[in-house]
């Protein structure tokens, strides 16, 4: 894993100082809203730039970039497109390292905009700067507070620090997903919406995320990539180390038509993308929720060594639905050996079902789930587990998650390798509270069996890929270290 | 639509008085928890029965059913299985109309339990009573407060009154879905979990819901039905009037195996069910969330007259994803005529896309969405609409939903028929607030394009079915009356 990409892009995500060129005094304008968000989140120094203002939001304003007395790592530019070139030249003179051009009015509006974009690239390159955008919402990094998103916090939530790096070709979708992730309690390491991708490329960002220690999994929404071959090579260099989940839109005739008028993506290329994803170990997501469902599982859990899945449930019906969902995805829900069935029978209630699904029933207490998971993990007969703890039933106590995780880790330590576990918790606030607790301990929890089954499928597929390229064992070793075993 | 079934089962859902036989003083026991919930919700008279207690939860306790001085409509029975027969006989002598037997220990535990269940049925029939259960969680009716669920309200939420009748063969799944529905803000008209189905049958409950004026749509979770032919006939008598959505579990080999050990459902019958559903106009759901997603759409919106869908969006990427999702389900996202495109172009921003998806862009204001929906609905080129309002963007105001619905209703009035609309609102609290408002006005709102597309598919499929049996026009007429047009 080289360090070149990491060093060359890091200032965008962790700048020591940021200038906002086009800062505005008028609430509602992008130049105001962006500055307000940045001020609220960012921990470094901010230099608003506007020749007509002295102070905005309590910050001293500079008439231009050159008049700023200190170094500027990143200039965020929100002035109208025709003025961007001059600002970029100023930035170059000033020694700014990177530009994030929020402004639209470039390639996406036609030939004249494309010409402007060409000039912009020339200026950027001539000064050795880097550029994200134009026509984008930029970056958001919870850890450093770097934030160029401009929707007001009363309309859009911002997720906290986490392990998912998220890249979106669509700014609006990116914002909406931030908002949703914040409510869902999902954290992200870095977000980039890179608009027209005039300079910093698909593959550079991918490799940057690969080398980013805060990122465990890379989630992307794309409609097209600029250079398919380079991107494919970068994917192959990434997936041995970190899972990549891609939601590629424009899969159908209508979708491709829509993508063409949205980002100018070429229609009819989906089969090419699909083949490239398959040959580079990419996990493909098929929807908005799916993208984050799968990323959550791949970020928190290890890949599976095989496709035999055990279902451990408190609710019989949910066990049936889970078995259906797993089977429909081509995964096995195998019958357990007589030996394992007998071991389970000994620890369970007489009305419980010791087969697979293991149904401890609504009369269960914590011990039934804990004893069962130990037997299942030690059996050598399962490669992954879906558990459905039904926190709401009378016999389940608030101690369940802690005790469950303790046993799971003990078994992993003895086995010397991990077995992936995902959970299902259907319900309201009480259930959501304990589901969140389980997630904070490393087990992704889904609202329905069907979503948990898709998560397991992703872990099986990624394990199969790593196994094929002979990287599974080293990945699992790194995973064990990461969870402290 | 006959009235026989309605009259003969109504006391279960709207009883004037309820006895709880096996009421307990001990918190944590079913006989206590159930009584506490009933007392909190139920508006009629409650008679706890327990020979060893004088008062529980402030209610006078009776030693047996016969000692209750007034009439008893329903006896809820939670005593151990071997004692249930005697209680049932007492109830018969007392003139009780219906029994809800929560207690397990009958057919589901083996031959001896089955014998006990046979005796119970004999007693029930000999007195002309009706029986829900045994081995069930019973009923919940928000409107009357009739509630035999026993999970404590601090662990499980209860949904308010709404238009979805929900029947579940699994008690735990039923409870979990209540909890989830309460948090999601979905209302239900009636809930039944009928366990072993010893007396009141699948088809009776279906027809009861068909004739229930509070129910607009019937949602069912089943693993099997007792009498397939009778159920099929009842479905055919129901779907001309109300949509029926069924989540049938045990679809796969592993699922069928699990269902067999859960409720004794016969394996390998899924193809038979599938054919029966197709031939009776049932909309089949394929997951927990799907069951309620589809029911919400079918309850709130009219069926579609065709499969041409327009997408009206504020976010370009979400528009692409919606087009993909619709196309993948076999629905059309047609190109609009030049005439319609020109009309749209006139009312939209220059950067907007007037094709299908109609992308008003993140710079849009309310008027762009309102003018567009009017043009689309009047065009004669679309049979259904997915709109993605992105409440979070600066130009969209809190007045959008009201103004949008006003225009929609005006157009429907002029056209003389309705066109289904469902929405997508991805985001956090701000977005959820306005999505909920839109739902309260009749437009179901989903968190993702993929789920909205499935809802549209259900509306198209149901429309196709009604058209095939020549009931579409009369259904649409009733729908117009229901929404006051």
């Amino acid at each position: 894993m080289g360090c070149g990409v990491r060093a060359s892009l890091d200032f965008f995500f962790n700048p020591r100082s940021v200038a906002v060129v086009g800062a505005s005094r008028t609430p509602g304008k992008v130049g105001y809203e962006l500055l307000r968000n940045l001020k609220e989140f960012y921990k470094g120094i901010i230099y608003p730039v506007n020749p007509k203002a002295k102070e905005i939001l309590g910050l001293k304003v500079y008439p231009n970039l050159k008049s700023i007395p200190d170094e500027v790592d990143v200039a965020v530019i929100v002035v109208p497109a025709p003025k961007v070139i001059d600002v970029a030249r100023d930035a170059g003179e000033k020694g700014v390292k990177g530009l994030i051009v929020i402004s639209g009015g470039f390639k996406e509006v036609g030939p004249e905009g494309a010409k402007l974009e060409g000039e912009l690239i020339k200026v950027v390159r001539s000064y050795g700067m880097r550029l994200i955008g134009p026509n984008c919402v930029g970056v958001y990094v919870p850890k450093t507070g770097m934030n160029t998103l401009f929707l007001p916090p009363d309309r859009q939530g911002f997720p906290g620090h986490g392990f998912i790096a998220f890249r979106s070709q669509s700014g609006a979708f990116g914002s909406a997903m931030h908002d949703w992730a914040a409510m869902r309690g999902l954290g992200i390491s870095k977000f980039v919406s890179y608009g027209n991708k005039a300079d910093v490329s698909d593959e550079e960002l991918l490799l940057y995320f690969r080398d980013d220690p805060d990122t465990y999994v890379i989630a992307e929404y794309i409609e097209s990539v600029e250079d398919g071959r380079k991107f494919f090579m970068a994917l192959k260099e990434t997936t041995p180390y970190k899972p990549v989940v891609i939601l590629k839109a424009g899969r159908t005739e209508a979708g491709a038509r829509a993508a063409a008028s949205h980002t100018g993506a070429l229609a009819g290329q989906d089969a090419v993308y699909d083949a490239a994803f398959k040959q580079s170990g990419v996990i493909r997501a098929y929807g908005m929720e799916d993208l984050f469902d799968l990323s959550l599982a791949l970020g928190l859990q290890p890949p599976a060594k095989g496709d035999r899945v055990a279902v451990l449930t408190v609710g019989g019906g949910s066990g049936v639905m889970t078995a259906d969902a797993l089977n429909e995805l081509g995964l096995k829900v195998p019958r357990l050996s007589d030996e394992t069935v007998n071991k389970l029978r000994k620890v369970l209630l007489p009305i419980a079902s010791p087969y697979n699904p293991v149904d401890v029933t609504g009369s269960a207490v914590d011990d039934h789930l804990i004893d069962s998971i130990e037997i299942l993990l030690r059996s050598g007969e399962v490669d992954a587990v879906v558990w459905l703890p039904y926190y709401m039933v009378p016999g389940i106590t608030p101690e369940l998650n802690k005790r469950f995780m303790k046993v799971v880790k003990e078994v992993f330590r003895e086995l010397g390798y991990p077995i992936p576990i995902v959970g299902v918790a259907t319900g309201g606030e009480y259930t959501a509270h304990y589901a969140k607790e389980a997630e904070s301990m490393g087990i992704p929890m889904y609202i329905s069996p069907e979503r948990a089954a898709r998560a397991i499928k992703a872990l099986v597929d990624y394990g199969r890929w790593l196994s094929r390229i002979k990287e599974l064992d080293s990945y699992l070793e790194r995973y064990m270290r990461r969870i402290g075993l």
Side-chain angles (χ1 to χ4, degrees), chain A residues 273-327:
Chain A
Y273 281 95
D274 201 58
F277 294 158
K278 283 203 179 99
Q279 286 162 37
S280 57
V282 167
I283 304 297
R284 193 161 182 184
Y286 286 91
M288 213 177 240
E289 292 170 292
D290 204 31
L291 179 62
F292 278 77
D293 281 353
L294 305 188
S295 297
L296 182 67
L298 289 159
L300 283 178
Q301 286 289 310
K305 288 180 147 203
D307 61 359
R308 302 166 304 168
V309 188
V311 178
L312 172 57
T313 186
V314 169
S318 305
V320 180
M321 285 184 257
T322 308
D324 269 342
L326 290 164
N327 246 196

Side-chain angles (χ1 to χ4, degrees), chain A residues 170-396:
Chain A
S170 163
F173 175 58
S175 293
M177 288 312 284
H178 272 107
D179 193 15
W180 174 81
M183 190 174 65
R184 166 75 173 75
L186 284 179
I188 66 160
S189 57
K190 266 114 196 153
F191 165 73
V192 194
S193 166
Y194 52 156
N196 295 5
K197 311 188 255 187
D199 174 44
V200 171
S201 66
D202 300 291
E203 55 276 10
E204 278 181 296
L205 284 168
L206 186 67
L207 294 173
Y208 175 77
F209 290 147
R210 180 194 66 178
D211 298 344
D212 172 34
D214 287 332
T215 296
Y216 297 165
V217 57
I218 301 162
E220 314 213 321
Y221 171 78
I222 60 172
E223 292 175 12
S224 62
V225 293
E226 297 303 301
D227 187 328
R229 188 157 302 272
K230 279 192 189 159
F231 188 59
F232 176 61
M233 294 309 294
L235 285 171
K236 284 179 73 152
E237 287 167 32
T238 303
T239 56
Y241 308 101
K242 286 180 189 171
V244 179
V245 188
I246 298 184
L247 171 56
K248 154 81 175 65
R251 295 188 295 277
T252 62
E253 185 273 324
R257 194 152 34 83
S261 76
H262 180 226
T263 55
L266 283 178
Q269 299 287 310
D270 196 72
V272 178
Y273 281 95
D274 201 58
F277 294 158
K278 283 203 179 99
Q279 286 162 37
S280 57
V282 167
I283 304 297
R284 193 161 182 184
Y286 286 91
M288 213 177 240
E289 292 170 292
D290 204 31
L291 179 62
F292 278 77
D293 281 353
L294 305 188
S295 297
L296 182 67
L298 289 159
L300 283 178
Q301 286 289 310
K305 288 180 147 203
D307 61 359
R308 302 166 304 168
V309 188
V311 178
L312 172 57
T313 186
V314 169
S318 305
V320 180
M321 285 184 257
T322 308
D324 269 342
L326 290 164
N327 246 196
E328 271 166 354
L329 293 169
L331 300 168
K332 296 193 185 81
V333 185
R335 289 171 196 273
L336 302 170
S337 68
D338 290 349
E339 195 191 332
T340 301
V341 167
N342 285 333
K343 278 184 192 163
L344 285 164
R345 206 190 303 273
K346 266 184 211 152
V347 301
L348 295 179
L349 295 170
I351 54 164
S353 175
Y355 308 103
N356 189 12
V358 178
D359 177 3
V360 299
T361 83
S363 307
V365 296
D366 296 355
D367 281 338
H368 295 122
L369 287 168
I370 291 162
D371 293 345
S372 298
I373 191 70
E374 187 168 353
I375 292 167
L376 288 169
L377 294 178
R378 282 187 199 280
S379 71
E381 297 170 32
V382 302
D383 303 305
V385 179
V386 183
W387 80 311
L388 304 92
Y390 270 81
Y391 299 109
M392 50 165 58
V393 308
I396 300 297

